[in-house]
Amino acid sequence: MPKVQIWIDEKEVWAEEGSNLLEAALAAGIHIPHLCHDPRLKPFGSCRLCFVEIEGRRGPVPACGNIVQAGMKVTTNNETIRALRKKALELLMTEHCGDCVAPCQLACPAHIDIQGFIAHIANGRRDAAAALIKEQLPFPSVCGRVCPRFCEAECRRNIVDEPVNICALKRYAGDYDLVNYNKYAPTPLPPTGKTVAVVGGGPAGLTAAYYLALMGHAVTIYDRGPELGGMLRYGIPEYRLPKATLDQEIKLITDLCAEVRLGQVFGRDFTLESLQEAYDAVFLGLGSQAAQMLGLENEDTPGILNGIGFLRAVAEGNPPDIGRNVVVVGGGNTAMDAARTAIRLGAENVTVVYRRGREEMPANIVEIEEAEEEGVKFQLLANPTGYICSPDHVEGVECVRMELGEPDASGRRRPIAVQGSEFTLPADTVILAIGQKLQAEEVTSCGLLICDRGNVKADENTGVTSIPGVFAAGDCVTGPKTVVEAVGAAKRVALAMDQYLRGVEITPEKQEFNCTMGEHWQEINPAYFADREKIARRNEVLLKAAERKTNFKEFNLGLTPEMAKKETERCLSCGCQDAFDCKLRLYAGEYEVDIKRLGTQEKRYEIITGDYIVQDENKCILCGNCVRICQEVQDNGVMGFVNRGFDTTVKPNMGVPLAQTQCESCGQCLSACPTGALTAASILAKPGPFKDDRVVTTTCTMCNTGCTLELHIAADTITKVTSPLRTGHNDGNLCNLGRFADRIVHDENRLTKPLVRDGATHKEVSWEKAVQITAGILAEAQKYQGADGIAVLVSPALTNEENYLAQKFARTVLGTNNIESTNPVPELLPVKTATFAEVEASDYILLVGEDITLDFPIVAQKIRKAVENGAQLVVLAEEPTRLDKFAHHTLLVNFHRLPEVLLVLYAWGKQKGLLTPTAQLPYAGEDLQRLINALPNMVRVKADKVTGMLADFAAAKRPVIIANGDSLGDEEHYLLNEILAGTGKTGQGSGLVCLYRGGNAYGQTEMGVHPDLLPGRLPVNSKEAQQKVGYLLPQLLEKASRNEILALVILGDDFILSPEIIGKDTMVVVAASTWRDDLALADVVLPLATFAESDGTVINCEGRLLPVNAALEPFGGKNNLEIIYDLAKALGKPLSQQSAAEILAEAKAAGALQIVADDLASDEADAIA
Amino acid sequence: MGNQPYKVRVGMGTCGIAAGANKTYEAILPLLQEQGITPVKTGCMGMCYKEPLVEVITADGKSYLYGNVGPKEAETIVQEHIVNNKPVKELLVLADEEKTEHAPFMEKQHRMLLAHLGRINPESIESYLEVGGYEATKKAIGTMTPEEVIAEIEASGLRGRGGAGFPTYMKWKLTREAEGEQKYVVCNADEGDPGAFMDRSILESNPHGVLEGMIIAGYAIGATEGYIYCRAEYPLAIRNLKKAIADATAHGFLGENILGSGFNFSIQIREGAGAFVCGEETALLMSIEGKRGMPRFRPPYPAQKGLFGHPTCINNVETLANIPCIIARGAEAYSALGTEKSKGTKVFALAGKVKRGGLVEVPMGLTINEIVFDIGGGISTGKAFKAVQTGGPSGGCIPAALGDTPVDYDSLQAIGAIMGSGGMLIMDEETCMVDVARFFLSFTCEESCGKCTFCRAGTKKMLEILEAITEGRGTESDIDLLEQLAHQVKAGSMCGLGQTAPNPVLTTIKYFRDEYLAHVREKRCPAKQCKALIYYEIDPEKCVACGLCRRNCPVNAISGAKKTPHVIDQEKCIRCGLCVNSCKFDSIEVKSGKPETAVQ
């Protein structure tokens, strides 16, 4: 197709005439939003997002429904178009029901990915859980002890029974990492050269310091105290938050900082000006340190203390003498802390006086209850009116009873004194815990503006204050709040400061769009959750009151691993599995969609979780991608639209679950689904979703189609497999094996340790031992039977490099040519391989062998595309195939007669002058004529049709033969090659494609895994090599069964052992990735790395050299090359250790890779080689 | 048997049958047989409001049309008119000899397509041939080249009667010029507008006229196969079509080598399952292909890639029925009728609050007032004429003030309405225009195929807003949102269904904004139709305490002792209106707004 010039948004674009306009724009880097378009599908036009204006056309038109025409002028973004897109998105939201992210995460002031970290714990990755928490909050252990749990208040589990014990799980993850693991310490970004002063070492300051340091800035923390921690250290008693824990978490932060300067008082030791001079930016996390007093007479009498002063003194190890009777005034957490501390200091009567009722107390209920358990008494609805003092000490408090009147500005009912209800409480000590505030004088003096409530005036999202370069967050901005709120604010401000330091405009972090089923669980119809099993909440282990009230030891012992595991099971995983990938969410954010404008839909459909696919129709936006990809690409048509209008929905045929349809679980539908309506069923205990730690592009080795895979990795686990669209020879299409490759890699029976036979069973041994035993077996066999008594079998699923090294090991270390494939294929080099592009562009395809639609569905797609492009298809098969309906002819042949049929076709072609044979035919004269006469009968068609078919084949410009190689033998391969050669068309556009289930079937022969051929197909017994040939597989197995092979080494998962093929004396060593029952017959089992743990290359059916890239560490600790090197070493003949790339280079030098067409040695593979 | 010269026709279209024509026919048959007369079953005569109709034609060809003929009346007619030779004046609707009060119904019409309706037996090809049937086919195939046929259609100025008014010759020309061996003619008989029955009547009463149109179209564009896509809800039309196809084939007008010309053409019927969207041409094609009826992208247009991927010409029933008229009379004679840009006649289904509802055919350019008052006889309820809706749910509401608008494609479009396929709904002052918009939108919303966002979710959202307004929950900003949505649904929808669905909403807001405002601001329905915004009150002056309303009230909301005026409990009242209907003293009033008690 010639390229023509068009203009998109005034940008000159060259695109193929007649090509899709949307694709042309995307290719030119101009993004037009779209949901119902997928390059694999025909334009449909249902989502109405890709509107553009085309000069000369009336109104906006969908880009996906238009084709490129020379000179076209296209506008993709103006006000009309944006308004239309926004409305389309708002309308789509009216039928989209679900939670983008879980409500707990939204409720958390620090926006911790709670669903994610709980899933990590459930999946046994507490370290990953801690790391995930620390992306938002640097001290999970601290916060896991003191957080008031905003998250749990919004937990959807409240609808079912009780909220998930999120806070305890957070502490569990944090403590584990701190104590038992590697103390998660992320690497900061490279130094920016910028310096920051953080004033205040409390929660806000430490958080800002942590994230600023991680962003590469040099941070100096200033604090007035002798140690960091602020309120965490001095306001929260030891029994709630042990200083040791606090110290550990603080250390992880200060390790990242340039300097910590303690004992530095603001205004005394440094000023704002001095900081501004010395640093590029200043963060103020001053807290609310000044205690508020009642303002009654004689308040300065000894024995009258303030709450935080009291707690600080205790924390510093200087507890005041408080006597027997202690009155604590106030109803907040500080009051509870003070009262409980007083109990622990030995006070006999501790009374909390609070002017409102228990319901109104701001302290956490748990705190109040625990205080009560420890003996604290409460005088509620009471208020101090004066002190009874001796000249030098307080002796009591005068109080008055209160009652609640009308609600005040805060919404709480205002307490009013009851006339004549005065009473007194004896007190040796009175502790006032009625609130704190900023010590404002410090800051006003340096020119910072203070807002009405006496706090530092700063933007709540960016922390920007009235002085440029000075930022503030935490209690000094908001007044006294919680740790987690200070953390959330400080993290936001750190991001803004980073922008400031990098010299870019300060913009608050854009809130991601979130669709929700209801802002609060109370708004949600409980019926949606009626099917959820009630599971009792696991609460933390607490010491009994009597045990704890006498000391300051931590009394909350957290969750045990068993309890934590159980508690994770209670998480409902409310957030959408597609949250990180959903295009609808992305666009809704981009177009600032307001879901309140037009409303959202109630949940209408049951969520159906199948073995492979989870269907949540509530999130379906009816783009039809699933329906169409199943029909158009898979030719399966499992799903369809049901009903009309707003009630339209997508359902599997007959409305039954997918599993009951002819669904092949290829997952193509979920790859095309733009939302979370169709997602992959996870094999994990909890599916996440997780953000990718990394994505590794590699090649699927489960057949020799060689599809490109993208392995999405989080916490060393493949969480998802995709294939890139628009690039790659498989066009983003995958089959069940590729799409769900994670199930093979993470099979529950994966072997991680070597096994050695121990009587009837196997026992785990070290690698060293296993290698030693294996070497012993090989040496023994060599001793008794010579090199002939050993054989090495290698799977065609392994890489070129593994295959090459295995043959090198067999030939040079073991000295044998008994090196064979576990699944050998004919060694014949195709006269020419065809690429998939050539298949699609072919005008005549001859398809030979068993139905390929199930085993090689991607190639079947190519064939259907070719037919759609006008190719003739002739199928030669034993039984009807699913491609027959696309075929011009289907010839049914008994496979045992296939060689005959092919031969006769060949001869027939020759006789009619249609084919020009390049080889001698085994039949001639009458024999041939007899066969020719019999042919129509063999293929059950009339003679003239056979001639017509062959004539068309001979006349084809670009004939392609596709063979299901596994169902064909050497002879058929030979004949197919000859038939193609006979057309004389073996140049560009034509060729032979042989499909094998062994992903590197071609590569094996190239690499010399063959008893007769050395790498580069050099015959073993040739003049140059002059070696004795080895045994082919059937002979080899026979020898083994007759005890003539004494040691059999098998590398790969595809060779099933059976007693018949293994002689009594034959020792078998199998390297397998996954345990299976027949491995019981093996003497040694070594853990094999799968393709996801290997680096190297494979050659696919097109003759394309494709890269295999390791995404994970080998499960057994060693990659397959290392295993071979270790064995060679143990046998005393070490091979020089080479990387995969070096091995491939060596193989290439030996003449391997003949089958790889020059233009198909891909860039990535080249990069390796 | 001196009465033999009389011919008798009984209207047996769906409208007639629905009015009881079967019983009339059963009653009249033996009576006429006694007189040696075999009555002829004909299709709809157009005066649906007077069905069942019986026509008596005298030996000298004079016609007497009787209306509302039940079995009893039939007996009278036979006895008086046929036996005693005295026309029954009180039952007479139309008569050649004297001018009845119904005569104006016919006078302003120009019956060309409908000329044979009610005059021929649709089940008999002979009956059609008698009135000159298939002459146009003979003329086109026998004496004209396909290009000449297309040129003739071009000269006639015929525009598609499906609603959009696309020049018919253009479709034919494009299909003829499109590359492809196989081409199709498709007759769109998926008449889906509520209240429209033009196509049904034509198919039922004159099926051969449509077949002729298809045969000529097939000849002109080079097609060999035709499909009639007819909704399954038209069983009589399908039955008559099947018979007509069989008869036409037997007579050599269909099949191989038609009239010895070498031209082959066959016609099949496909029954649609009654999805409104299947009237959209691409959805219709999908449905014929056996797929879900959903529109697809245009281009490629059906003329390029239509049915099964082959060039296809899709014309509406009425358009095709025009073809034989044009060919037979010649383009010049045809184009003499109508206006400059809209030629010929247009058939309308007159319905709603009009005295003489039925099927009418008028030359293009007649004004709305002429149709409503001269032909339709004015408003049936005696109230004031308020508006007319043309084009069904895709059309617009035209206020009475614009009654002088000529009915042609361009004039209607200029005022926000469309010609549509020919539904014409007359409304009086007791019609709530918000409710009308809600009604039509509820139809389109339900009939959306569900494919594209704006049509599927947009109409639903618009409907919800309209419901809120009619239920008194609307706000003034809702009207703005509704208007904005309406414009965006028009601009953003994929096919004609969604692109036109907002028309009733937009035109009612445009012409009757006050009524919308009354609903949202004052929570009042001026037309007193929206139940949530009206209440009933008993006038104590007029009430005689007969207790009838009390007994009729289904929710016991009316109380009152003997001889004391009754009272309605507004809390209990469900506004069903039964009390109003039961009161013989007109003492119960419908009021708009909220009852005063509730206001306090």
Side-chain angles (χ1 to χ4, degrees), chain B residues 491-554:
Chain B
S493 290
M494 182 167 203
C495 83
L497 197 162
Q499 286 162 4
T500 59
N503 285 349
V505 177
L506 284 172
T507 48
T508 49
I509 295 181
K510 181 175 175 186
Y511 296 118
F512 301 96
R513 199 179 185 94
D514 285 355
E515 239 176 288
Y516 277 86
L517 288 174
H519 280 74
V520 296
R521 279 186 189 159
E522 301 155 39
K523 305 292 175 202
R524 194 169 64 78
C525 174
K528 299 175 185 171
Q529 291 299 315
C530 297
K531 279 189 179 174
L533 304 177
I534 56 168
Y535 65 100
Y536 295 95
E537 215 167 57
I538 299 173
D539 184 344
E541 299 289 311
K542 289 186 184 169
C543 179
V544 298
C546 67
L548 207 53
C549 59
R550 176 163 48 84
R551 286 195 295 278
N552 270 303
C553 179

Side-chain angles (χ1 to χ4, degrees), chain A residues 767-949:
Chain A
W767 267 107
E768 216 177 9
K769 180 105 183 171
V771 167
Q772 194 193 337
I773 293 171
T774 305
I777 288 171
L778 291 169
E780 194 85 342
Q782 222 163 10
K783 200 164 99 192
Y784 289 101
Q785 202 79 7
D788 269 1
I790 303 177
V792 178
L793 295 178
V794 189
S795 162
L798 298 189
T799 62
N800 288 322
E801 295 73 10
E802 289 159 345
N803 271 288
Y804 181 84
L805 195 64
Q807 71 82 30
K808 193 173 170 184
F809 172 75
R811 291 194 163 111
T812 66
V813 177
L814 301 177
T816 180
N817 273 323
N818 289 341
I819 170 81
E820 174 63 303
S821 170
T822 54
N823 210 343
V825 303
E827 71 259 24
L828 189 75
L829 198 61
V831 56
K832 182 189 170 293
T833 53
T835 64
F836 291 148
E838 285 170 332
V839 171
E840 282 182 22
S842 167
D843 56 350
Y844 193 112
I845 295 175
L846 177 64
L847 176 62
V848 185
E850 274 172 21
D851 195 350
I852 64 164
T853 43
L854 271 182
D855 284 338
F856 308 99
I858 310 304
V859 181
Q861 290 162 13
K862 307 279 176 195
I863 295 174
R864 284 192 293 267
K865 222 167 187 180
V867 172
E868 205 180 297
N869 293 341
Q872 265 202 53
L873 172 66
V874 173
V875 179
L876 206 54
E878 190 162 34
E879 283 170 357
T881 76
R882 275 174 51 187
L883 285 166
D884 294 351
K885 62 178 169 181
F886 300 93
H888 286 65
H889 305 288
T890 298
L891 310 182
L892 296 180
V893 185
N894 273 336
F895 272 171
H896 69 271
R897 298 193 73 177
L898 188 59
E900 235 172 14
V901 169
L902 289 175
L903 182 69
V904 179
L905 278 175
Y906 187 41
W908 184 306
K910 183 193 169 191
Q911 198 188 50
K912 304 270 178 192
L914 299 168
L915 299 175
T916 316
T918 52
Q920 199 66 40
L921 288 173
Y923 299 100
E926 273 183 28
D927 285 347
L928 181 61
Q929 195 54 49
R930 192 168 39 76
L931 278 169
I932 286 177
N933 293 343
L935 180 66
N937 238 354
M938 287 191 244
V939 294
R940 300 174 217 172
V941 289
K942 286 182 184 149
D944 57 337
K945 274 213 170 161
V946 176
T947 309
M949 206 188 84

Side-chain angles (χ1 to χ4, degrees), chain B residues 151-166:
Chain B
E152 193 74 4
I153 302 302
E154 180 177 5
S156 76
L158 177 65
R159 292 168 71 173
R161 298 296 193 242
F166 190 77

Side-chain angles (χ1 to χ4, degrees), chain A residues 43-48 51 62 64-65 83-84 87-88 91-92 95 597-598 621-622 641-646 648, chain B residues 274-276 292 294 297 445 447-454 456-458 460-461 481 484-485 488 492-494:
Chain A
F44 191 58
S46 65
C47 75
R48 317 313 280 175
F51 280 117
C64 72
L84 215 48
K87 189 54 60 63
L91 287 171
L92 288 174
E95 47 190 9
R597 233 165 87 83
L598 300 182
I621 51 152
L622 296 166
F641 290 104
V642 181
N643 297 332
R644 258 189 272 171
F646 196 76
T648 306
Chain B
F276 180 63
R292 179 182 166 94
M294 272 186 165
F297 271 124
C445 179
E447 290 294 339
S448 163
C449 79
K451 177 172 177 177
C452 77
T453 307
F454 282 100
R456 177 186 70 242
K460 168 83 173 170
K461 193 36 72 184
L481 180 59
Q484 188 198 36
L485 260 169
Q488 286 174 322
S493 290
M494 182 167 203

